[in-house]
Amino acid sequence: METRPEITKKHKKMHLSRYRNRWGWLLISPAVSGLTLWVALPLLVSLVASLCDWDMVGPPQYIGLNNYKMMFTVDPSFWQAVGVTAYYTFAGVPVQIIVAFVTALLLNTNVRGIRFFRTLYYLPSILPIAVNSVLWLWLFNPHFGLLNIILEWFGFPPQRWVFGSETVIPSFILMSLWSVGSTVIIFLAGLQGIPRELLEAVEIDGGSGWHRFRHIILPLMTPIIFYTVVIGFITGVQTFTQPFMMTGGGPANASLFYVLHLYRQAFQFSHMGYACAMAWFLFVVTMIISGVIFKSSSLWVFYEGEVKK
């Protein structure tokens, strides 16, 4: 009995498809395994732990939603930490983006020595956060810190900086501007990708520098601004190292950031179940606000080649 050529060809294609699928799963198995073991499984464990009273020594005791109830109604430091983190994030992130954008505009010129200045602005961002924290503790010292010496030169009274409850968060915002170099590089790359023909067209039509910025530079930079807003927000709500090393949450809990409070509950007071509930609250809030930013992007983000209806 002869084999039909069409059937043989079909079987060969099916065999080749199964062969490729097996190789595909084999090649992505390390990534899938890592995602399952180090992301999905810990998320599931933390969700279950948030419903338990667990000190990491004895077995967890299921208590339902009591951790979440205690978080919202019993723990006074919870709302203090939320307020501190919101203050730092919503006040600091816009300032960081504006400073980084203006710096990138200044560095996007063809003056002599511009490469040196670009390197100089980027270097602080590659220093470890712990090193920056120790350095700025010296700068913020109310007795012999460089910042107070500069203020005295100009006739201003000295400040307590991170050692004062009213100035600690503005001090952290000021400190964050020291490390905007990585954002500056991103903005600079976007500025150098703007077509020169568009800028020259504005000049030919008699437009000023403001017109170039308002109608060409700013619209074409909105996708990068959108990216930095999302990343800046996520980074801001996860601030931990600076207050942990520099103030410990003080003075009087004025710098008790949310993640620092979460760390204390988990590893100082051994309230791991409560800390997991706090982590899930942070995750949900981050997802909601990120979703709002993404949803609003259609109103102010311009993509090249996109036609607005």
mmCIF file of all heavy atoms in Angstrom, residues 46-54 61-75 78 273-278 280-281 284:
data_model
loop_
_atom_site.group_PDB
_atom_site.id
_atom_site.type_symbol
_atom_site.label_atom_id
_atom_site.label_comp_id
_atom_site.label_asym_id
_atom_site.label_seq_id
_atom_site.Cartn_x
_atom_site.Cartn_y
_atom_site.Cartn_z
ATOM 1 N N SER A 46 3.477 35.023 50.733
ATOM 2 C CA SER A 46 3.251 36.266 51.476
ATOM 3 C C SER A 46 1.769 36.587 51.593
ATOM 4 O O SER A 46 1.326 37.129 52.611
ATOM 5 C CB SER A 46 3.984 37.421 50.783
ATOM 6 O OG SER A 46 3.417 37.694 49.514
ATOM 7 N N LEU A 47 0.980 36.243 50.562
ATOM 8 C CA LEU A 47 -0.462 36.468 50.636
ATOM 9 C C LEU A 47 -1.088 35.613 51.725
ATOM 10 O O LEU A 47 -1.930 36.082 52.506
ATOM 11 C CB LEU A 47 -1.105 36.184 49.284
ATOM 12 C CG LEU A 47 -2.622 36.371 49.201
ATOM 13 C CD1 LEU A 47 -2.998 37.809 49.522
ATOM 14 C CD2 LEU A 47 -3.144 35.969 47.831
ATOM 15 N N VAL A 48 -0.679 34.356 51.802
ATOM 16 C CA VAL A 48 -1.186 33.477 52.855
ATOM 17 C C VAL A 48 -0.721 33.959 54.220
ATOM 18 O O VAL A 48 -1.485 33.979 55.194
ATOM 19 C CB VAL A 48 -0.728 32.026 52.594
ATOM 20 C CG1 VAL A 48 -1.138 31.117 53.752
ATOM 21 C CG2 VAL A 48 -1.309 31.501 51.284
ATOM 22 N N ALA A 49 0.562 34.376 54.313
ATOM 23 C CA ALA A 49 1.099 34.842 55.597
ATOM 24 C C ALA A 49 0.402 36.100 56.076
ATOM 25 O O ALA A 49 0.299 36.333 57.295
ATOM 26 C CB ALA A 49 2.597 35.090 55.469
ATOM 27 N N SER A 50 -0.099 36.930 55.155
ATOM 28 C CA SER A 50 -0.786 38.156 55.563
ATOM 29 C C SER A 50 -2.096 37.869 56.274
ATOM 30 O O SER A 50 -2.651 38.759 56.929
ATOM 31 C CB SER A 50 -1.039 39.045 54.329
ATOM 32 O OG SER A 50 -2.030 38.480 53.480
ATOM 33 N N LEU A 51 -2.582 36.656 56.154
ATOM 34 C CA LEU A 51 -3.818 36.255 56.831
ATOM 35 C C LEU A 51 -3.541 35.492 58.125
ATOM 36 O O LEU A 51 -4.448 34.921 58.716
ATOM 37 C CB LEU A 51 -4.659 35.384 55.897
ATOM 38 C CG LEU A 51 -5.022 35.997 54.547
ATOM 39 C CD1 LEU A 51 -5.756 34.981 53.681
ATOM 40 C CD2 LEU A 51 -5.863 37.248 54.728
ATOM 41 N N CYS A 52 -2.280 35.506 58.549
ATOM 42 C CA CYS A 52 -1.879 34.720 59.720
ATOM 43 C C CYS A 52 -1.130 35.589 60.716
ATOM 44 O O CYS A 52 -0.573 36.627 60.376
ATOM 45 C CB CYS A 52 -0.983 33.549 59.311
ATOM 46 S SG CYS A 52 -1.751 32.386 58.153
ATOM 47 N N ASP A 53 -1.109 35.108 61.957
ATOM 48 C CA ASP A 53 -0.249 35.672 62.991
ATOM 49 C C ASP A 53 0.994 34.799 63.050
ATOM 50 O O ASP A 53 0.944 33.669 63.533
ATOM 51 C CB ASP A 53 -0.970 35.682 64.341
ATOM 52 C CG ASP A 53 -0.117 36.295 65.435
ATOM 53 O OD1 ASP A 53 0.909 36.916 65.105
ATOM 54 O OD2 ASP A 53 -0.461 36.136 66.623
ATOM 55 N N TRP A 54 2.119 35.328 62.568
ATOM 56 C CA TRP A 54 3.319 34.499 62.389
ATOM 57 C C TRP A 54 4.538 35.285 62.837
ATOM 58 O O TRP A 54 4.795 36.388 62.373
ATOM 59 C CB TRP A 54 3.450 34.094 60.926
ATOM 60 C CG TRP A 54 4.579 33.154 60.637
ATOM 61 C CD1 TRP A 54 5.064 32.186 61.460
ATOM 62 C CD2 TRP A 54 5.351 33.086 59.443
ATOM 63 N NE1 TRP A 54 6.090 31.516 60.869
ATOM 64 C CE2 TRP A 54 6.285 32.052 59.619
ATOM 65 C CE3 TRP A 54 5.341 33.798 58.242
ATOM 66 C CZ2 TRP A 54 7.213 31.714 58.634
ATOM 67 C CZ3 TRP A 54 6.245 33.460 57.273
ATOM 68 C CH2 TRP A 54 7.172 32.424 57.452
ATOM 69 N N GLN A 61 -0.598 31.118 62.686
ATOM 70 C CA GLN A 61 -1.965 30.949 63.155
ATOM 71 C C GLN A 61 -2.893 31.799 62.286
ATOM 72 O O GLN A 61 -2.729 33.015 62.200
ATOM 73 C CB GLN A 61 -2.093 31.369 64.622
ATOM 74 C CG GLN A 61 -1.179 30.618 65.567
ATOM 75 C CD GLN A 61 -1.548 29.155 65.691
ATOM 76 O OE1 GLN A 61 -2.732 28.794 65.605
ATOM 77 N NE2 GLN A 61 -0.553 28.299 65.900
ATOM 78 N N TYR A 62 -3.866 31.160 61.677
ATOM 79 C CA TYR A 62 -4.783 31.875 60.784
ATOM 80 C C TYR A 62 -5.666 32.819 61.592
ATOM 81 O O TYR A 62 -6.310 32.427 62.558
ATOM 82 C CB TYR A 62 -5.653 30.879 60.021
ATOM 83 C CG TYR A 62 -6.665 31.539 59.107
ATOM 84 C CD1 TYR A 62 -6.284 32.079 57.891
ATOM 85 C CD2 TYR A 62 -8.005 31.632 59.488
ATOM 86 C CE1 TYR A 62 -7.207 32.701 57.059
ATOM 87 C CE2 TYR A 62 -8.942 32.240 58.661
ATOM 88 C CZ TYR A 62 -8.531 32.774 57.441
ATOM 89 O OH TYR A 62 -9.441 33.381 56.628
ATOM 90 N N ILE A 63 -5.686 34.105 61.193
ATOM 91 C CA ILE A 63 -6.499 35.102 61.889
ATOM 92 C C ILE A 63 -7.369 35.898 60.910
ATOM 93 O O ILE A 63 -7.946 36.931 61.276
ATOM 94 C CB ILE A 63 -5.620 36.085 62.692
ATOM 95 C CG1 ILE A 63 -4.605 36.781 61.776
ATOM 96 C CG2 ILE A 63 -4.922 35.378 63.834
ATOM 97 C CD1 ILE A 63 -3.799 37.854 62.478
ATOM 98 N N GLY A 64 -7.444 35.452 59.661
ATOM 99 C CA GLY A 64 -8.290 36.132 58.690
ATOM 100 C C GLY A 64 -7.760 37.506 58.310
ATOM 101 O O GLY A 64 -6.576 37.684 58.037
ATOM 102 N N LEU A 65 -8.644 38.490 58.351
ATOM 103 C CA LEU A 65 -8.278 39.858 57.937
ATOM 104 C C LEU A 65 -7.872 40.746 59.106
ATOM 105 O O LEU A 65 -7.823 41.973 58.968
ATOM 106 C CB LEU A 65 -9.460 40.500 57.205
ATOM 107 C CG LEU A 65 -9.913 39.813 55.912
ATOM 108 C CD1 LEU A 65 -11.146 40.511 55.351
ATOM 109 C CD2 LEU A 65 -8.788 39.801 54.877
ATOM 110 N N ASN A 66 -7.535 40.146 60.242
ATOM 111 C CA ASN A 66 -7.205 40.945 61.420
ATOM 112 C C ASN A 66 -5.967 41.803 61.217
ATOM 113 O O ASN A 66 -5.875 42.911 61.766
ATOM 114 C CB ASN A 66 -7.004 40.039 62.634
ATOM 115 C CG ASN A 66 -8.323 39.527 63.182
ATOM 116 O OD1 ASN A 66 -9.387 39.981 62.763
ATOM 117 N ND2 ASN A 66 -8.272 38.580 64.107
ATOM 118 N N ASN A 67 -4.998 41.294 60.461
ATOM 119 C CA ASN A 67 -3.805 42.100 60.194
ATOM 120 C C ASN A 67 -4.163 43.376 59.438
ATOM 121 O O ASN A 67 -3.630 44.451 59.723
ATOM 122 C CB ASN A 67 -2.788 41.288 59.379
ATOM 123 C CG ASN A 67 -2.008 40.309 60.228
ATOM 124 O OD1 ASN A 67 -1.748 40.569 61.408
ATOM 125 N ND2 ASN A 67 -1.633 39.185 59.644
ATOM 126 N N TYR A 68 -5.054 43.260 58.480
ATOM 127 C CA TYR A 68 -5.467 44.436 57.711
ATOM 128 C C TYR A 68 -6.297 45.383 58.569
ATOM 129 O O TYR A 68 -6.182 46.609 58.452
ATOM 130 C CB TYR A 68 -6.261 44.002 56.476
ATOM 131 C CG TYR A 68 -5.435 43.224 55.487
ATOM 132 C CD1 TYR A 68 -5.386 41.827 55.528
ATOM 133 C CD2 TYR A 68 -4.691 43.877 54.513
ATOM 134 C CE1 TYR A 68 -4.628 41.106 54.614
ATOM 135 C CE2 TYR A 68 -3.925 43.166 53.601
ATOM 136 C CZ TYR A 68 -3.901 41.777 53.658
ATOM 137 O OH TYR A 68 -3.142 41.069 52.762
ATOM 138 N N LYS A 69 -7.132 44.834 59.445
ATOM 139 C CA LYS A 69 -7.908 45.681 60.352
ATOM 140 C C LYS A 69 -6.994 46.441 61.307
ATOM 141 O O LYS A 69 -7.186 47.650 61.546
ATOM 142 C CB LYS A 69 -8.910 44.824 61.151
ATOM 143 C CG LYS A 69 -10.013 44.199 60.306
ATOM 144 C CD LYS A 69 -10.929 43.342 61.158
ATOM 145 C CE LYS A 69 -12.013 42.693 60.316
ATOM 146 N NZ LYS A 69 -12.913 41.812 61.121
ATOM 147 N N MET A 70 -6.005 45.744 61.842
ATOM 148 C CA MET A 70 -5.069 46.391 62.753
ATOM 149 C C MET A 70 -4.266 47.471 62.029
ATOM 150 O O MET A 70 -3.973 48.529 62.594
ATOM 151 C CB MET A 70 -4.122 45.349 63.357
ATOM 152 C CG MET A 70 -3.132 45.930 64.358
ATOM 153 S SD MET A 70 -2.173 44.660 65.221
ATOM 154 C CE MET A 70 -1.223 44.002 63.848
ATOM 155 N N MET A 71 -3.937 47.203 60.762
ATOM 156 C CA MET A 71 -3.153 48.152 59.976
ATOM 157 C C MET A 71 -3.900 49.477 59.817
ATOM 158 O O MET A 71 -3.309 50.552 59.934
ATOM 159 C CB MET A 71 -2.842 47.525 58.606
ATOM 160 C CG MET A 71 -1.950 48.343 57.718
ATOM 161 S SD MET A 71 -1.390 47.369 56.294
ATOM 162 C CE MET A 71 -2.964 46.916 55.546
ATOM 163 N N PHE A 72 -5.199 49.403 59.554
ATOM 164 C CA PHE A 72 -5.971 50.609 59.276
ATOM 165 C C PHE A 72 -6.535 51.275 60.527
ATOM 166 O O PHE A 72 -6.797 52.476 60.508
ATOM 167 C CB PHE A 72 -7.121 50.284 58.323
ATOM 168 C CG PHE A 72 -6.667 49.868 56.952
ATOM 169 C CD1 PHE A 72 -7.073 48.651 56.425
ATOM 170 C CD2 PHE A 72 -5.839 50.675 56.193
ATOM 171 C CE1 PHE A 72 -6.656 48.248 55.161
ATOM 172 C CE2 PHE A 72 -5.424 50.295 54.932
ATOM 173 C CZ PHE A 72 -5.826 49.073 54.411
ATOM 174 N N THR A 73 -6.743 50.527 61.592
ATOM 175 C CA THR A 73 -7.471 51.081 62.740
ATOM 176 C C THR A 73 -6.681 51.112 64.045
ATOM 177 O O THR A 73 -7.037 51.882 64.944
ATOM 178 C CB THR A 73 -8.757 50.269 62.984
ATOM 179 O OG1 THR A 73 -8.412 48.891 63.252
ATOM 180 C CG2 THR A 73 -9.667 50.320 61.763
ATOM 181 N N VAL A 74 -5.642 50.303 64.186
ATOM 182 C CA VAL A 74 -4.950 50.186 65.473
ATOM 183 C C VAL A 74 -3.558 50.800 65.432
ATOM 184 O O VAL A 74 -3.173 51.544 66.349
ATOM 185 C CB VAL A 74 -4.863 48.702 65.907
ATOM 186 C CG1 VAL A 74 -4.098 48.582 67.220
ATOM 187 C CG2 VAL A 74 -6.254 48.103 66.034
ATOM 188 N N ASP A 75 -2.791 50.519 64.401
ATOM 189 C CA ASP A 75 -1.392 50.935 64.331
ATOM 190 C C ASP A 75 -1.299 52.422 63.970
ATOM 191 O O ASP A 75 -1.542 52.803 62.822
ATOM 192 C CB ASP A 75 -0.657 50.092 63.291
ATOM 193 C CG ASP A 75 0.825 50.427 63.213
ATOM 194 O OD1 ASP A 75 1.311 51.188 64.083
ATOM 195 O OD2 ASP A 75 1.498 49.925 62.302
ATOM 196 N N PHE A 78 1.280 53.369 61.161
ATOM 197 C CA PHE A 78 0.991 53.034 59.767
ATOM 198 C C PHE A 78 0.645 54.280 58.977
ATOM 199 O O PHE A 78 1.214 54.545 57.913
ATOM 200 C CB PHE A 78 -0.159 52.021 59.711
ATOM 201 C CG PHE A 78 -0.700 51.802 58.324
ATOM 202 C CD1 PHE A 78 -0.026 50.997 57.427
ATOM 203 C CD2 PHE A 78 -1.881 52.418 57.916
ATOM 204 C CE1 PHE A 78 -0.519 50.800 56.140
ATOM 205 C CE2 PHE A 78 -2.379 52.224 56.640
ATOM 206 C CZ PHE A 78 -1.702 51.415 55.752
ATOM 207 N N GLY A 273 3.524 38.257 59.673
ATOM 208 C CA GLY A 273 2.200 38.264 59.058
ATOM 209 C C GLY A 273 1.702 39.681 58.832
ATOM 210 O O GLY A 273 1.175 40.005 57.759
ATOM 211 N N TYR A 274 1.892 40.536 59.828
ATOM 212 C CA TYR A 274 1.475 41.937 59.693
ATOM 213 C C TYR A 274 2.299 42.639 58.624
ATOM 214 O O TYR A 274 1.771 43.443 57.847
ATOM 215 C CB TYR A 274 1.629 42.635 61.036
ATOM 216 C CG TYR A 274 1.195 44.078 61.032
ATOM 217 C CD1 TYR A 274 -0.133 44.426 60.842
ATOM 218 C CD2 TYR A 274 2.125 45.099 61.221
ATOM 219 C CE1 TYR A 274 -0.533 45.751 60.844
ATOM 220 C CE2 TYR A 274 1.735 46.424 61.212
ATOM 221 C CZ TYR A 274 0.410 46.742 61.031
ATOM 222 O OH TYR A 274 0.011 48.060 61.017
ATOM 223 N N ALA A 275 3.599 42.348 58.557
ATOM 224 C CA ALA A 275 4.459 42.952 57.545
ATOM 225 C C ALA A 275 4.042 42.523 56.139
ATOM 226 O O ALA A 275 4.083 43.325 55.197
ATOM 227 C CB ALA A 275 5.921 42.571 57.803
ATOM 228 N N CYS A 276 3.629 41.271 55.979
ATOM 229 C CA CYS A 276 3.149 40.804 54.677
ATOM 230 C C CYS A 276 1.871 41.542 54.274
ATOM 231 O O CYS A 276 1.679 41.871 53.096
ATOM 232 C CB CYS A 276 2.914 39.303 54.707
ATOM 233 S SG CYS A 276 4.427 38.319 54.766
ATOM 234 N N ALA A 277 0.998 41.790 55.243
ATOM 235 C CA ALA A 277 -0.215 42.569 54.941
ATOM 236 C C ALA A 277 0.147 43.983 54.496
ATOM 237 O O ALA A 277 -0.439 44.526 53.554
ATOM 238 C CB ALA A 277 -1.125 42.605 56.167
ATOM 239 N N MET A 278 1.135 44.586 55.150
ATOM 240 C CA MET A 278 1.596 45.911 54.739
ATOM 241 C C MET A 278 2.179 45.875 53.330
ATOM 242 O O MET A 278 1.967 46.800 52.538
ATOM 243 C CB MET A 278 2.644 46.427 55.729
ATOM 244 C CG MET A 278 2.122 46.808 57.086
ATOM 245 S SD MET A 278 3.417 47.523 58.135
ATOM 246 C CE MET A 278 3.863 48.970 57.176
ATOM 247 N N TRP A 280 1.388 43.845 50.896
ATOM 248 C CA TRP A 280 0.317 43.706 49.915
ATOM 249 C C TRP A 280 -0.465 45.004 49.749
ATOM 250 O O TRP A 280 -0.914 45.337 48.646
ATOM 251 C CB TRP A 280 -0.614 42.557 50.308
ATOM 252 C CG TRP A 280 -0.118 41.259 49.749
ATOM 253 C CD1 TRP A 280 0.638 40.311 50.378
ATOM 254 C CD2 TRP A 280 -0.330 40.784 48.416
ATOM 255 N NE1 TRP A 280 0.921 39.279 49.515
ATOM 256 C CE2 TRP A 280 0.338 39.533 48.311
ATOM 257 C CE3 TRP A 280 -0.997 41.272 47.312
ATOM 258 C CZ2 TRP A 280 0.332 38.785 47.134
ATOM 259 C CZ3 TRP A 280 -1.005 40.534 46.132
ATOM 260 C CH2 TRP A 280 -0.347 39.311 46.054
ATOM 261 N N PHE A 281 -0.625 45.758 50.824
ATOM 262 C CA PHE A 281 -1.268 47.064 50.693
ATOM 263 C C PHE A 281 -0.432 47.984 49.806
ATOM 264 O O PHE A 281 -0.965 48.676 48.925
ATOM 265 C CB PHE A 281 -1.454 47.696 52.078
ATOM 266 C CG PHE A 281 -1.985 49.096 52.032
ATOM 267 C CD1 PHE A 281 -3.322 49.343 51.795
ATOM 268 C CD2 PHE A 281 -1.123 50.177 52.218
ATOM 269 C CE1 PHE A 281 -3.816 50.647 51.747
ATOM 270 C CE2 PHE A 281 -1.603 51.477 52.166
ATOM 271 C CZ PHE A 281 -2.951 51.713 51.934
ATOM 272 N N VAL A 284 -0.834 46.902 46.143
ATOM 273 C CA VAL A 284 -2.116 47.292 45.553
ATOM 274 C C VAL A 284 -2.141 48.786 45.260
ATOM 275 O O VAL A 284 -2.567 49.220 44.174
ATOM 276 C CB VAL A 284 -3.277 46.894 46.481
ATOM 277 C CG1 VAL A 284 -4.596 47.479 45.979
ATOM 278 C CG2 VAL A 284 -3.388 45.371 46.573
#
